[in-house]
Protein backbone atom coordinates (compact mmCIF):
# COMPACT_ATOMS: atom_id res chain seq x y z
CA UNK A 1 0.00 0.00 0.00
CA UNK A 2 1.25 3.47 -0.87
CA UNK A 3 1.78 5.70 2.17
CA UNK A 4 1.50 9.44 1.70
CA UNK A 5 1.70 10.41 5.35
CA UNK A 6 4.16 13.20 6.02
CA UNK A 7 5.11 15.44 8.94
CA UNK A 8 4.04 18.71 7.30
CA UNK A 9 0.91 20.55 8.50
CA UNK A 10 -0.37 21.33 4.99
CA UNK A 11 -2.61 18.73 3.37
CA UNK A 12 -1.23 17.07 0.23
CA UNK A 13 -2.51 14.15 -1.77
CA UNK A 14 -0.67 11.95 -4.27
CA UNK A 15 -1.80 11.88 -7.89
CA UNK A 16 -2.25 8.49 -9.54
CA UNK A 17 -2.75 8.46 -13.31
CA UNK A 18 -1.77 6.49 -16.36
CA UNK A 19 -0.06 9.51 -17.90
CA UNK A 20 1.52 12.53 -16.21
CA UNK A 21 3.05 15.83 -17.28
CA UNK A 22 4.44 18.31 -14.76
CA UNK A 23 6.13 21.65 -15.29
CA UNK A 24 5.89 25.21 -14.04
CA UNK A 25 3.52 26.49 -16.77
CA UNK A 26 -0.02 25.04 -16.85
CA UNK A 27 -0.45 25.76 -20.56
CA UNK A 28 2.70 23.75 -21.37
CA UNK A 29 1.50 20.85 -19.21
CA UNK A 30 -1.82 20.90 -21.06
CA UNK A 31 0.02 20.67 -24.37
CA UNK A 32 1.94 17.64 -23.13
CA UNK A 33 -1.26 15.92 -22.00
CA UNK A 34 -2.88 16.75 -25.34
CA UNK A 35 -0.09 14.92 -27.18
CA UNK A 36 -0.47 11.93 -24.86
CA UNK A 37 -4.21 11.87 -25.59
CA UNK A 38 -3.39 11.83 -29.32
CA UNK A 39 -1.50 8.57 -28.84
CA UNK A 40 1.92 9.95 -28.05
CA UNK A 41 4.22 8.57 -25.40
CA UNK A 42 6.17 10.27 -22.60
CA UNK A 43 8.91 11.37 -25.02
CA UNK A 44 6.42 12.99 -27.40
CA UNK A 45 4.81 14.74 -24.42
CA UNK A 46 8.18 15.95 -23.15
CA UNK A 47 9.10 17.43 -26.54
CA UNK A 48 5.72 19.13 -26.90
CA UNK A 49 5.95 20.51 -23.37
CA UNK A 50 9.52 21.71 -23.88
CA UNK A 51 8.60 23.48 -27.10
CA UNK A 52 5.75 25.26 -25.35
CA UNK A 53 7.95 26.20 -22.40
CA UNK A 54 10.36 27.83 -24.85
CA UNK A 55 7.54 30.24 -25.64
CA UNK A 56 5.81 30.64 -22.28
CA UNK A 57 8.90 31.09 -20.10
CA UNK A 58 11.42 32.88 -22.34
CA UNK A 59 13.11 34.09 -19.14
CA UNK A 60 14.44 30.58 -18.52
CA UNK A 61 14.72 28.83 -21.88
CA UNK A 62 14.09 29.22 -25.57
CA UNK A 63 14.51 27.90 -29.08
CA UNK A 64 18.16 28.96 -28.93
CA UNK A 65 18.98 27.15 -25.69
CA UNK A 66 20.31 23.76 -24.65
CA UNK A 67 18.67 20.69 -23.14
CA UNK A 68 19.51 17.68 -20.98
CA UNK A 69 17.44 14.54 -20.55
CA UNK A 70 17.42 11.38 -18.48
CA UNK A 71 14.98 8.82 -19.84
CA UNK A 72 13.74 5.51 -18.47
CA UNK A 73 12.35 3.43 -21.34
CA UNK A 74 10.78 0.87 -19.00
CA UNK A 75 13.90 -1.29 -18.86
CA UNK A 76 16.98 0.90 -19.19
CA UNK A 77 18.21 4.40 -18.33
CA UNK A 78 19.41 6.71 -21.10
CA UNK A 79 21.08 10.12 -20.92
CA UNK A 80 21.09 12.85 -23.56
CA UNK A 81 23.41 15.85 -23.49
CA UNK A 82 22.04 18.39 -25.96
CA UNK A 83 24.37 21.28 -25.12
CA UNK A 84 25.82 22.89 -28.20
CA UNK A 85 29.56 23.58 -28.54
CA UNK A 86 31.32 26.87 -29.14
CA UNK A 87 31.62 28.26 -32.67
CA UNK A 88 34.72 26.98 -34.48
CA UNK A 89 36.15 30.51 -34.67
CA UNK A 90 36.29 30.94 -30.91
CA UNK A 91 39.73 30.78 -29.32
CA UNK A 92 41.86 32.92 -27.03
CA UNK A 93 43.20 34.98 -29.94
CA UNK A 94 39.66 35.74 -31.17
CA UNK A 95 38.64 37.31 -27.85
CA UNK A 96 41.97 39.06 -27.27
CA UNK A 97 41.82 40.67 -30.72
CA UNK A 98 38.25 41.77 -30.24
CA UNK A 99 38.17 42.76 -26.57
CA UNK A 100 41.79 43.42 -25.66
CA UNK A 101 44.73 41.51 -24.25
CA UNK A 102 42.99 40.87 -20.91
CA UNK A 103 40.12 38.99 -22.58
CA UNK A 104 40.54 35.24 -22.90
CA UNK A 105 36.95 34.00 -22.75
CA UNK A 106 33.47 34.93 -24.00
CA UNK A 107 31.58 37.86 -22.47
CA UNK A 108 28.50 37.00 -20.42
CA UNK A 109 26.16 38.92 -22.74
CA UNK A 110 25.87 39.78 -26.38
CA UNK A 111 26.59 38.23 -29.75
CA UNK A 112 29.86 36.66 -28.56
CA UNK A 113 28.18 34.73 -25.76
CA UNK A 114 26.16 32.61 -28.19
CA UNK A 115 27.06 28.95 -28.69
CA UNK A 116 25.46 26.42 -31.02
CA UNK A 117 21.90 25.89 -29.73
CA UNK A 118 21.52 22.23 -28.81
CA UNK A 119 17.97 21.98 -27.49
CA UNK A 120 16.20 21.57 -30.82
CA UNK A 121 18.69 18.86 -31.78
CA UNK A 122 17.81 17.15 -28.51
CA UNK A 123 14.12 17.14 -29.45
CA UNK A 124 14.93 15.58 -32.81
CA UNK A 125 17.21 12.92 -31.30
CA UNK A 126 14.59 11.96 -28.70
CA UNK A 127 11.81 11.86 -31.27
CA UNK A 128 13.75 9.72 -33.71
CA UNK A 129 14.91 7.20 -31.12
CA UNK A 130 11.95 6.96 -28.74
CA UNK A 131 9.01 9.01 -30.05
CA UNK A 132 5.78 7.49 -31.27
CA UNK A 133 4.22 10.39 -33.21
CA UNK A 134 5.66 12.39 -36.13
CA UNK A 135 7.65 15.40 -34.94
CA UNK A 136 5.50 17.87 -36.87
CA UNK A 137 2.41 16.59 -35.04
CA UNK A 138 4.22 16.81 -31.68
CA UNK A 139 5.26 20.43 -32.27
CA UNK A 140 1.93 21.58 -33.74
CA UNK A 141 0.29 22.50 -30.38
CA UNK A 142 3.28 24.66 -29.39
CA UNK A 143 3.10 26.42 -32.76
CA UNK A 144 -0.58 27.13 -32.08
CA UNK A 145 0.33 28.66 -28.71
CA UNK A 146 2.94 30.87 -30.41
CA UNK A 147 0.34 32.13 -32.91
CA UNK A 148 -2.58 32.44 -30.49
CA UNK A 149 -0.47 33.82 -27.66
CA UNK A 150 -0.81 33.49 -23.91
CA UNK A 151 -1.38 35.77 -20.93
CA UNK A 152 1.91 36.60 -19.20
CA UNK A 153 1.90 35.32 -15.59
CA UNK A 154 3.19 37.19 -12.55
CA UNK A 155 6.51 35.48 -11.79
CA UNK A 156 7.56 35.27 -15.43
CA UNK A 157 6.70 38.94 -15.95
CA UNK A 158 8.86 39.91 -13.00
CA UNK A 159 11.83 37.99 -14.39
CA UNK A 160 11.09 39.40 -17.86
CA UNK A 161 11.28 42.96 -16.58
CA UNK A 162 14.51 42.25 -14.69
CA UNK A 163 16.08 40.67 -17.76
CA UNK A 164 14.98 43.46 -20.07
CA UNK A 165 16.85 46.01 -17.98
CA UNK A 166 20.07 44.27 -18.98
CA UNK A 167 19.15 42.73 -22.34
CA UNK A 168 16.89 45.40 -23.80
CA UNK A 169 19.69 46.96 -25.85
CA UNK A 170 20.92 43.65 -27.27
CA UNK A 171 20.20 43.12 -30.98
CA UNK A 172 16.79 41.62 -31.60
CA UNK A 173 15.66 41.50 -27.97
CA UNK A 174 13.22 44.41 -27.99
CA UNK A 175 11.84 43.39 -31.38
CA UNK A 176 10.85 39.96 -30.07
CA UNK A 177 10.29 40.44 -26.35
CA UNK A 178 9.19 44.07 -25.94
CA UNK A 179 6.20 44.44 -28.27
CA UNK A 180 4.96 47.99 -28.34
CA UNK A 181 8.24 49.13 -26.83
CA UNK A 182 7.68 47.72 -23.35
CA UNK A 183 7.91 44.51 -21.38
CA UNK A 184 4.54 42.71 -21.44
CA UNK A 185 2.47 43.44 -18.36
CA UNK A 186 0.91 40.80 -16.14
CA UNK A 187 -2.10 39.38 -17.98
CA UNK A 188 -1.10 40.93 -21.30
CA UNK A 189 -1.41 38.76 -24.42
CA UNK A 190 2.01 37.87 -25.85
CA UNK A 191 2.53 36.22 -29.23
CA UNK A 192 5.58 34.90 -31.08
CA UNK A 193 4.28 34.24 -34.62
CA UNK A 194 7.81 33.89 -36.02
CA UNK A 195 8.45 31.07 -33.55
CA UNK A 196 5.30 29.31 -34.80
CA UNK A 197 6.74 29.27 -38.31
CA UNK A 198 10.09 28.03 -37.00
CA UNK A 199 8.46 25.22 -35.04
CA UNK A 200 6.53 24.05 -38.08
CA UNK A 201 9.70 24.07 -40.21
CA UNK A 202 11.54 22.12 -37.51
CA UNK A 203 8.78 19.52 -37.39
CA UNK A 204 8.41 19.19 -41.16
CA UNK A 205 12.16 18.79 -41.77
CA UNK A 206 13.15 16.77 -38.68
CA UNK A 207 15.24 19.73 -37.55
CA UNK A 208 17.19 20.13 -40.80
CA UNK A 209 15.80 23.60 -41.46
CA UNK A 210 17.13 24.67 -38.08
CA UNK A 211 20.65 23.29 -38.39
CA UNK A 212 21.33 23.16 -42.12
CA UNK A 213 18.63 25.12 -43.89
CA UNK A 214 16.50 28.25 -43.83
CA UNK A 215 16.69 28.92 -40.09
CA UNK A 216 20.44 28.23 -39.94
CA UNK A 217 20.93 30.73 -42.78
CA UNK A 218 18.90 33.35 -40.92
CA UNK A 219 20.92 32.77 -37.74
CA UNK A 220 24.19 33.17 -39.64
CA UNK A 221 23.04 36.41 -41.31
CA UNK A 222 21.92 37.89 -38.00
CA UNK A 223 25.06 36.90 -36.10
CA UNK A 224 27.39 38.06 -38.88
CA UNK A 225 25.57 41.40 -39.15
CA UNK A 226 26.33 42.02 -35.49
CA UNK A 227 29.95 40.87 -35.52
CA UNK A 228 29.55 37.40 -34.04
CA UNK A 229 31.26 34.13 -34.93
CA UNK A 230 28.46 31.51 -35.10
CA UNK A 231 27.98 30.17 -38.63
CA UNK A 232 25.74 27.71 -40.47
CA UNK A 233 28.69 25.32 -40.65
CA UNK A 234 28.82 25.26 -36.82
CA UNK A 235 25.11 24.49 -36.74
CA UNK A 236 25.32 21.78 -39.41
CA UNK A 237 28.13 19.96 -37.62
CA UNK A 238 26.22 19.65 -34.35
CA UNK A 239 24.95 16.33 -32.98
CA UNK A 240 23.52 15.70 -29.47
CA UNK A 241 25.32 13.09 -27.41
CA UNK A 242 23.78 9.97 -25.89
CA UNK A 243 25.63 9.51 -22.60
CA UNK A 244 25.70 7.20 -19.60
CA UNK A 245 24.19 9.04 -16.61
CA UNK A 246 26.29 9.36 -13.47
CA UNK A 247 24.91 7.82 -10.28
CA UNK A 248 25.24 8.17 -6.52
CA UNK A 249 23.76 5.75 -3.97
CA UNK A 250 22.37 7.41 -0.87
CA UNK A 251 20.72 5.49 1.98
CA UNK A 252 18.94 2.98 -0.24
CA UNK A 253 18.18 5.34 -3.12
CA UNK A 254 20.12 6.01 -6.32
CA UNK A 255 20.21 9.47 -7.88
CA UNK A 256 21.14 9.79 -11.56
CA UNK A 257 22.43 12.95 -13.24
CA UNK A 258 23.88 13.90 -16.61
CA UNK A 259 27.63 14.39 -16.17
CA UNK A 260 29.84 17.28 -17.25
CA UNK A 261 29.50 19.62 -19.05
CA UNK A 262 26.29 19.97 -16.98
CA UNK A 263 26.22 20.93 -13.32
CA UNK A 264 24.20 17.86 -12.31
CA UNK A 265 27.24 16.34 -10.66
CA UNK A 266 26.85 18.94 -7.88
CA UNK A 267 23.83 17.07 -6.50
CA UNK A 268 25.79 13.81 -6.48
CA UNK A 269 28.76 15.41 -4.71
CA UNK A 270 26.47 16.91 -2.07
CA UNK A 271 24.80 13.56 -1.40
CA UNK A 272 28.19 11.89 -1.14
CA UNK A 273 29.14 14.44 1.49
CA UNK A 274 25.83 14.18 3.37
CA UNK A 275 26.25 10.41 3.60
CA UNK A 276 28.78 11.13 6.38
CA UNK A 277 26.17 12.92 8.54
CA UNK A 278 23.12 11.57 10.35
CA UNK A 279 20.76 14.07 8.78
CA UNK A 280 17.66 12.39 10.21
CA UNK A 281 19.00 12.80 13.76
CA UNK A 282 19.31 16.57 13.20
CA UNK A 283 15.51 16.83 13.08
CA UNK A 284 13.09 17.87 10.38
CA UNK A 285 13.31 21.52 9.30
CA UNK A 286 15.84 22.40 11.99
CA UNK A 287 18.58 24.97 11.50
CA UNK A 288 21.18 22.21 11.80
CA UNK A 289 19.49 20.14 9.09
CA UNK A 290 19.43 23.06 6.66
CA UNK A 291 22.93 24.14 7.61
CA UNK A 292 24.59 20.83 6.76
CA UNK A 293 22.75 20.58 3.44
CA UNK A 294 23.63 24.13 2.44
CA UNK A 295 27.28 23.61 3.36
CA UNK A 296 27.34 20.37 1.35
CA UNK A 297 25.98 22.18 -1.70
CA UNK A 298 28.52 24.98 -1.25
CA UNK A 299 31.30 22.41 -1.22
CA UNK A 300 29.83 20.76 -4.30
CA UNK A 301 29.61 23.98 -6.28
CA UNK A 302 33.11 25.03 -5.24
CA UNK A 303 34.33 21.96 -7.15
CA UNK A 304 31.86 22.39 -10.00
CA UNK A 305 32.90 25.98 -10.66
CA UNK A 306 36.58 25.07 -10.46
CA UNK A 307 36.59 21.87 -12.50
CA UNK A 308 33.48 21.21 -14.60
CA UNK A 309 33.78 21.97 -18.30
CA UNK A 310 33.61 20.08 -21.57
CA UNK A 311 34.88 16.63 -20.45
CA UNK A 312 37.74 16.59 -22.96
CA UNK A 313 39.19 19.75 -21.42
CA UNK A 314 38.69 18.91 -17.72
CA UNK A 315 41.82 18.57 -15.60
CA UNK A 316 40.01 16.18 -13.22
CA UNK A 317 37.46 13.52 -14.06
CA UNK A 318 33.91 13.07 -12.80
CA UNK A 319 35.05 9.82 -11.17
CA UNK A 320 37.69 11.70 -9.17
CA UNK A 321 35.10 14.27 -8.06
CA UNK A 322 32.82 11.45 -6.85
CA UNK A 323 35.51 9.33 -5.22
CA UNK A 324 34.26 8.11 -1.82
CA UNK A 325 37.45 8.92 0.08
CA UNK A 326 37.60 12.37 -1.47
CA UNK A 327 34.00 13.14 -0.52
CA UNK A 328 34.68 11.93 3.01
CA UNK A 329 37.58 14.40 3.25
CA UNK A 330 35.31 17.17 1.99
CA UNK A 331 32.66 16.28 4.57
CA UNK A 332 35.22 16.81 7.32
CA UNK A 333 35.47 20.48 6.30
CA UNK A 334 31.91 21.21 7.45
CA UNK A 335 31.69 22.98 10.79
CA UNK A 336 28.27 22.50 12.33
CA UNK A 337 28.59 25.78 14.24
CA UNK A 338 29.44 28.21 11.43
CA UNK A 339 28.98 28.77 7.72
CA UNK A 340 32.08 28.88 5.54
CA UNK A 341 33.29 30.06 2.15
CA UNK A 342 34.75 26.90 0.63
CA UNK A 343 36.21 28.45 -2.48
CA UNK A 344 35.64 30.72 -5.46
CA UNK A 345 32.59 30.50 -7.63
CA UNK A 346 29.96 32.51 -9.49
CA UNK A 347 26.42 32.85 -8.25
CA UNK A 348 24.05 30.67 -10.27
CA UNK A 349 21.99 33.37 -11.99
CA UNK A 350 21.00 31.72 -15.25
CA UNK A 351 17.54 30.72 -16.37
CA UNK A 352 16.38 27.10 -16.55
CA UNK A 353 13.10 25.22 -16.76
CA UNK A 354 12.29 21.66 -15.71
CA UNK A 355 9.63 19.23 -16.80
CA UNK A 356 8.88 15.57 -16.35
CA UNK A 357 6.53 13.17 -18.11
CA UNK A 358 5.44 9.56 -17.67
CA UNK A 359 3.15 7.23 -19.59
CA UNK A 360 1.31 3.98 -19.00
CA UNK A 361 4.07 1.89 -20.59
CA UNK A 362 6.43 2.84 -17.77
CA UNK A 363 8.43 5.33 -19.83
CA UNK A 364 9.55 8.37 -17.80
CA UNK A 365 11.38 11.52 -18.89
CA UNK A 366 13.28 14.03 -16.75
CA UNK A 367 14.10 17.09 -18.86
CA UNK A 368 15.93 20.39 -18.36
CA UNK A 369 15.95 23.18 -20.94
CA UNK A 370 18.00 26.30 -20.43
CA UNK A 371 19.35 29.54 -21.87
CA UNK A 372 21.93 29.64 -19.06
CA UNK A 373 22.81 33.36 -18.79
Amino acid sequence: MFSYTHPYPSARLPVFARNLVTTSQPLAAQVGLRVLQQGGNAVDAAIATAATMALCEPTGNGLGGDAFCILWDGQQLHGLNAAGPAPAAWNRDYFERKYGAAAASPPLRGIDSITVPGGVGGWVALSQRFGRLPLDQVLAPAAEVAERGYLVPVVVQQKWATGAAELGAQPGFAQAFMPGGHVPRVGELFRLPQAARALRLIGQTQGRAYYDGEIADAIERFVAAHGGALRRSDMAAYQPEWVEPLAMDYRGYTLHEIGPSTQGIAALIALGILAHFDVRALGLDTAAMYHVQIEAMKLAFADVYAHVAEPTSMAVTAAQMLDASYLQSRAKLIDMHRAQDFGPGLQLTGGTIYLTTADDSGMMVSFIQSNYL
Side-chain angles (χ1 to χ4, degrees), residues 3-13 284:
S3 173
Y4 55 89
T5 57
H6 52 78
Y8 296 99
S10 59
R12 300 168 187 171
L13 291 175
L284 184 67

Side-chain angles (χ1 to χ4, degrees), residues 90 94-95 98-99 105-115 223 226-230:
W90 276 11
Y94 174 88
F95 292 106
K98 195 164 183 179
Y99 298 101
S105 61
L108 292 178
R109 303 289 191 188
I111 207 72
D112 278 325
S113 67
I114 299 171
T115 56
V223 172
H226 294 93
L230 184 65

Side-chain angles (χ1 to χ4, degrees), residues 41-235:
N41 61 14
V43 164
D44 298 317
I47 296 167
T49 304
T52 309
M53 288 296 289
L55 312 168
C56 294
E57 289 196 14
T59 54
N61 73 138
L63 290 175
D66 296 321
F68 309 95
C69 174
I70 295 179
L71 182 150
W72 176 256
D73 66 8
Q75 296 181 325
Q76 184 180 348
L77 205 62
H78 306 268
L80 181 66
N81 184 333
W90 276 11
N91 54 40
R92 179 182 288 270
D93 290 341
Y94 174 88
F95 292 106
E96 287 182 348
R97 286 195 308 269
K98 195 164 183 179
Y99 298 101
S105 61
L108 292 178
R109 303 289 191 188
I111 207 72
D112 278 325
S113 67
I114 299 171
T115 56
V116 175
V120 169
W123 300 350
V124 174
L126 284 165
S127 176
Q128 291 178 342
R129 184 169 179 182
F130 292 105
R132 186 182 295 163
L133 299 178
L135 186 59
D136 58 347
Q137 182 179 346
V138 169
L139 295 179
E144 292 175 13
V145 171
E147 286 179 330
R148 184 178 70 243
Y150 62 90
L151 304 183
V152 176
V154 175
V155 174
V156 172
Q157 196 279 338
Q158 292 169 348
K159 294 180 178 180
W160 205 317
T162 300
E166 188 170 358
L167 298 172
Q170 293 292 343
F173 182 90
Q175 179 182 0
F177 297 110
M178 297 175 67
H182 67 272
V183 172
R185 302 175 182 90
V186 173
E188 186 172 346
L189 184 67
F190 177 74
R191 296 186 176 96
L192 270 175
Q194 301 93 336
R197 183 168 178 270
L199 286 166
R200 291 198 170 97
L201 281 171
I202 291 165
Q204 292 162 5
T205 66
Q206 292 290 301
R208 290 187 298 277
Y210 189 87
Y211 287 101
D212 198 18
E214 179 181 340
I215 299 172
D217 286 338
I219 290 172
E220 178 173 306
R221 288 194 301 270
F222 182 87
V223 172
H226 294 93
L230 184 65
R231 295 292 181 265
R232 173 174 171 164
S233 56
D234 296 309
M235 303 278 290

